[in-house]
Amino acid sequence: IDNNLVAVQAQYDFRIYKSVALGLFIGAGDVFEKFSDLALEKIKTGYGAGIIYEFKKLIIRVEAATSPEQNIELIITGNRAF
């Protein structure tokens, strides 16, 4: 059973209007049973872009993400801003 995880993600958001921003992101990671099983060639990557709407105390993100192993996925999330 793979009980260990190594992951990293970076994201850059830039505002294009008062309450609208565009975001670009990339991530990489892998799961493994023993540290000796971790290998750079097994690390999976993903990347994507999205649009972020900010309404007072609510943030809505609509993003499209893909990876070499998968098709494009659409992700829609809503989070409260602190």
Side-chain angles (χ1 to χ4, degrees), residues 10-81:
Q11 179 165 331
Y12 180 73
D13 296 340
F14 48 97
R15 190 158 309 282
I16 59 171
Y17 191 68
K18 293 179 184 178
S19 61
V20 180
L22 294 178
L24 302 172
F25 56 90
I26 186 167
D30 197 15
V31 294
F32 50 94
E33 185 176 355
K34 298 177 293 193
F35 191 74
S36 61
D37 295 336
L38 180 61
L40 288 177
E41 61 272 3
K42 292 183 182 177
I43 296 212
K44 288 137 188 95
T45 59
Y47 52 90
I51 189 162
I52 302 124
Y53 300 100
E54 296 181 24
F55 303 100
K56 294 185 182 179
K57 295 191 180 226
L58 178 65
I59 297 175
I60 297 175
R61 304 178 70 92
V62 179
E63 300 170 320
T66 189
S67 70
E69 299 86 13
Q70 297 182 17
N71 294 325
I72 294 175
E73 293 186 28
L74 181 65
I75 305 156
I76 301 172
T77 56
N79 297 315
R80 284 188 169 186

